[in-house]
Coordinates of all heavy atoms in Angstrom, one line a residue:
Chain Y
W284 N -20.7 -26.7 29.9 CA -20.9 -27.2 28.6 C -20.3 -26.3 27.5 O -20.5 -26.5 26.3 CB -22.4 -27.4 28.3 CG -22.7 -28.5 27.2 CD1 -22.2 -29.8 27.2 CD2 -23.4 -28.4 26.0 NE1 -22.6 -30.5 26.1 CE2 -23.4 -29.6 25.4 CE3 -24.2 -27.3 25.4 CZ2 -24.0 -29.9 24.1 CZ3 -24.8 -27.6 24.2 CH2 -24.7 -28.8 23.6
V285 N -19.6 -25.3 28.0 CA -18.8 -24.4 27.0 C -17.4 -24.8 26.9 O -16.7 -24.8 27.9 CB -18.9 -22.9 27.5 CG1 -18.2 -22.0 26.4 CG2 -20.3 -22.5 27.7
S286 N -17.0 -25.3 25.8 CA -15.6 -25.7 25.6 C -15.2 -25.5 24.1 O -16.0 -25.7 23.3 CB -15.3 -27.1 26.1 OG -13.9 -27.3 26.2
G287 N -14.0 -25.0 23.9 CA -13.6 -24.7 22.5 C -14.3 -23.5 21.9 O -14.3 -23.2 20.7
A288 N -14.8 -22.6 22.8 CA -15.4 -21.4 22.4 C -14.4 -20.2 22.4 O -13.6 -20.1 23.3 CB -16.6 -21.0 23.2
I289 N -14.6 -19.3 21.4 CA -13.7 -18.1 21.3 C -14.7 -17.0 21.3 O -15.5 -16.8 20.4 CB -12.9 -18.1 20.0 CG1 -11.9 -19.3 20.1 CG2 -12.1 -16.8 19.9 CD1 -11.0 -19.4 18.8
I290 N -14.7 -16.1 22.3 CA -15.7 -15.2 22.5 C -15.2 -13.7 22.5 O -14.3 -13.4 23.2 CB -16.4 -15.4 23.9 CG1 -17.0 -16.8 23.9 CG2 -17.5 -14.4 24.2 CD1 -17.7 -17.2 25.2
R291 N -15.7 -13.0 21.5 CA -15.3 -11.6 21.3 C -16.0 -10.7 22.3 O -17.3 -10.8 22.4 CB -15.7 -11.2 19.9 CG -14.9 -10.1 19.3 CD -14.8 -10.2 17.8 NE -16.1 -10.5 17.2 CZ -16.3 -11.2 16.1 NH1 -15.3 -11.7 15.4 NH2 -17.5 -11.3 15.6
M292 N -15.3 -9.8 23.0 CA -16.0 -8.8 23.8 C -15.3 -7.5 23.5 O -14.2 -7.2 24.0 CB -15.8 -9.2 25.3 CG -16.6 -8.2 26.2 SD -16.2 -8.4 27.9 CE -17.9 -8.2 28.6
D293 N -15.9 -6.7 22.7 CA -15.3 -5.6 22.1 C -16.2 -4.4 21.7 O -15.8 -3.6 20.9 CB -14.5 -6.0 20.8 CG -15.4 -6.4 19.7 OD1 -16.6 -6.6 19.9 OD2 -15.0 -6.4 18.5
G294 N -17.4 -4.4 22.3 CA -18.3 -3.4 22.0 C -18.7 -3.3 20.5 O -19.2 -2.3 20.0
G295 N -18.4 -4.4 19.8 CA -18.8 -4.5 18.4 C -17.7 -4.0 17.4 O -17.9 -3.9 16.2
E296 N -16.5 -3.6 18.0 CA -15.5 -3.0 17.1 C -15.1 -3.9 15.9 O -15.0 -3.4 14.8 CB -14.2 -2.7 17.9 CG -13.3 -1.8 17.1 CD -11.9 -1.6 17.8 OE1 -11.5 -2.5 18.6 OE2 -11.2 -0.7 17.5
Y297 N -14.9 -5.2 16.2 CA -14.4 -6.0 15.1 C -15.4 -6.0 13.9 O -15.0 -5.8 12.8 CB -14.1 -7.4 15.6 CG -13.5 -8.3 14.5 CD1 -12.2 -8.1 14.2 CD2 -14.3 -9.2 13.8 CE1 -11.6 -8.8 13.2 CE2 -13.7 -9.9 12.7 CZ -12.3 -9.7 12.4 OH -11.8 -10.5 11.4
V298 N -16.6 -6.3 14.1 CA -17.6 -6.4 13.0 C -17.8 -5.0 12.4 O -18.0 -4.9 11.2 CB -18.9 -7.0 13.4 CG1 -18.8 -8.4 13.9 CG2 -19.6 -6.2 14.5
S299 N -17.6 -4.0 13.2 CA -17.8 -2.6 12.7 C -16.6 -2.3 11.7 O -16.8 -1.7 10.6 CB -17.8 -1.7 13.8 OG -17.6 -0.3 13.4
M300 N -15.4 -2.7 12.1 CA -14.3 -2.4 11.2 C -14.3 -3.2 10.0 O -14.0 -2.8 8.9 CB -12.9 -2.8 11.9 CG -12.6 -1.8 13.1 SD -10.9 -2.2 13.8 CE -11.2 -3.9 14.4
A301 N -14.7 -4.5 10.1 CA -14.5 -5.5 9.0 C -15.6 -5.3 8.0 O -15.4 -5.8 6.8 CB -14.6 -6.9 9.6
G302 N -16.7 -4.7 8.3 CA -17.8 -4.6 7.3 C -17.6 -3.5 6.3 O -17.5 -2.3 6.6
E303 N -17.6 -3.9 5.0 CA -17.2 -3.0 3.9 C -17.9 -1.6 3.9 O -17.4 -0.6 3.5 CB -17.3 -3.7 2.6 CG -16.2 -3.3 1.6 CD -16.5 -4.2 0.3 OE1 -17.4 -4.9 0.2 OE2 -15.7 -4.0 -0.6
F304 N -19.2 -1.7 4.2 CA -20.0 -0.5 4.0 C -20.3 0.3 5.3 O -21.2 1.2 5.3 CB -21.3 -0.8 3.3 CG -21.1 -1.2 1.9 CD1 -20.8 -2.5 1.5 CD2 -21.0 -0.2 0.9 CE1 -20.5 -2.8 0.1 CE2 -20.8 -0.5 -0.4 CZ -20.5 -1.8 -0.8
N305 N -19.7 -0.1 6.4 CA -20.0 0.5 7.7 C -19.6 2.0 7.8 O -20.2 2.7 8.6 CB -19.4 -0.3 8.9 CG -20.1 -1.6 9.1 OD1 -21.3 -1.6 8.9 ND2 -19.4 -2.6 9.6
D306 N -18.7 2.4 6.9 CA -18.4 3.9 6.9 C -19.6 4.7 6.5 O -19.6 5.9 6.7 CB -17.2 4.2 6.0 CG -15.9 3.9 6.7 OD1 -15.9 3.7 7.9 OD2 -14.9 3.9 6.0
L307 N -20.6 4.1 5.9 CA -21.8 4.8 5.5 C -22.5 5.4 6.7 O -23.5 6.2 6.6 CB -22.8 4.0 4.7 CG -22.2 3.5 3.3 CD1 -23.3 2.7 2.6 CD2 -21.7 4.6 2.5
R308 N -22.1 5.0 7.9 CA -22.7 5.7 9.1 C -22.5 7.2 9.0 O -23.2 7.9 9.7 CB -22.2 5.1 10.4 CG -20.7 5.3 10.6 CD -20.3 4.8 12.0 NE -18.8 4.9 12.1 CZ -18.0 4.0 11.8 NH1 -18.4 2.8 11.4 NH2 -16.7 4.2 11.9
R309 N -21.5 7.6 8.3 CA -21.2 9.1 8.2 C -22.1 9.8 7.2 O -22.1 11.0 7.2 CB -19.8 9.3 7.8 CG -18.8 8.7 8.8 CD -17.4 9.3 8.8 NE -16.5 8.5 9.6 CZ -15.6 7.8 9.1 NH1 -15.3 7.7 7.9 NH2 -14.8 7.0 10.0
V310 N -22.9 9.1 6.5 CA -23.8 9.7 5.5 C -24.9 10.4 6.2 O -25.5 9.8 7.1 CB -24.3 8.6 4.5 CG1 -25.4 9.2 3.6 CG2 -23.1 8.0 3.7
T311 N -25.2 11.6 5.8 CA -26.3 12.3 6.4 C -27.7 11.9 5.8 O -27.7 11.3 4.7 CB -26.1 13.8 6.2 OG1 -26.2 14.1 4.8 CG2 -24.8 14.3 6.7
K312 N -28.7 12.3 6.5 CA -30.1 12.1 6.0 C -30.3 12.6 4.5 O -30.9 12.0 3.7 CB -31.1 12.8 6.9 CG -31.4 12.0 8.2 CD -32.9 12.0 8.5 CE -33.1 10.8 9.5 NZ -33.6 11.3 10.8
E313 N -29.8 13.8 4.3 CA -29.9 14.5 3.0 C -29.2 13.7 1.9 O -29.7 13.4 0.8 CB -29.4 15.9 3.0 CG -30.2 16.8 3.9 CD -30.1 16.5 5.4 OE1 -28.9 16.1 5.9 OE2 -31.1 16.6 6.2
Q314 N -28.0 13.3 2.3 CA -27.2 12.5 1.3 C -27.9 11.2 1.0 O -27.9 10.7 -0.1 CB -25.8 12.2 1.9 CG -24.9 13.5 1.9 CD -23.6 13.2 2.6 OE1 -23.5 12.5 3.6 NE2 -22.5 13.8 2.1
W315 N -28.5 10.5 2.0 CA -29.2 9.3 1.8 C -30.4 9.5 0.8 O -30.6 8.7 -0.1 CB -29.8 8.7 3.1 CG -28.8 7.8 3.8 CD1 -28.3 8.0 5.0 CD2 -28.2 6.6 3.3 NE1 -27.4 7.0 5.3 CE2 -27.4 6.1 4.3 CE3 -28.4 5.9 2.1 CZ2 -26.6 4.9 4.1 CZ3 -27.7 4.7 1.9 CH2 -26.8 4.2 2.9
A316 N -31.1 10.6 1.0 CA -32.2 10.9 0.2 C -31.7 11.0 -1.3 O -32.3 10.5 -2.2 CB -32.9 12.2 0.6
M317 N -30.7 11.7 -1.5 CA -30.1 11.9 -2.8 C -29.7 10.6 -3.4 O -30.0 10.2 -4.6 CB -28.9 12.9 -2.7 CG -28.3 13.2 -4.0 SD -26.7 14.1 -3.8 CE -25.7 12.9 -3.0
M318 N -29.0 9.8 -2.6 CA -28.5 8.5 -3.1 C -29.6 7.6 -3.5 O -29.6 6.9 -4.5 CB -27.5 7.9 -2.1 CG -26.2 8.7 -2.0 SD -24.9 7.7 -1.4 CE -25.4 7.4 0.3

Side-chain angles (χ1 to χ4, degrees):
Chain Y
W284 208 53
V285 183
S286 194
I289 298 180
I290 301 181
R291 204 151 48 209
M292 187 188 220
D293 70 342
E296 189 188 26
Y297 185 76
V298 297
S299 165
M300 289 185 299
E303 215 179 0
F304 289 90
N305 285 330
D306 278 349
L307 296 185
R308 65 175 175 268
R309 300 207 188 107
V310 172
T311 63
K312 282 222 161 117
E313 293 70 36
Q314 289 172 321
W315 273 118
M317 182 187 67
M318 293 204 291

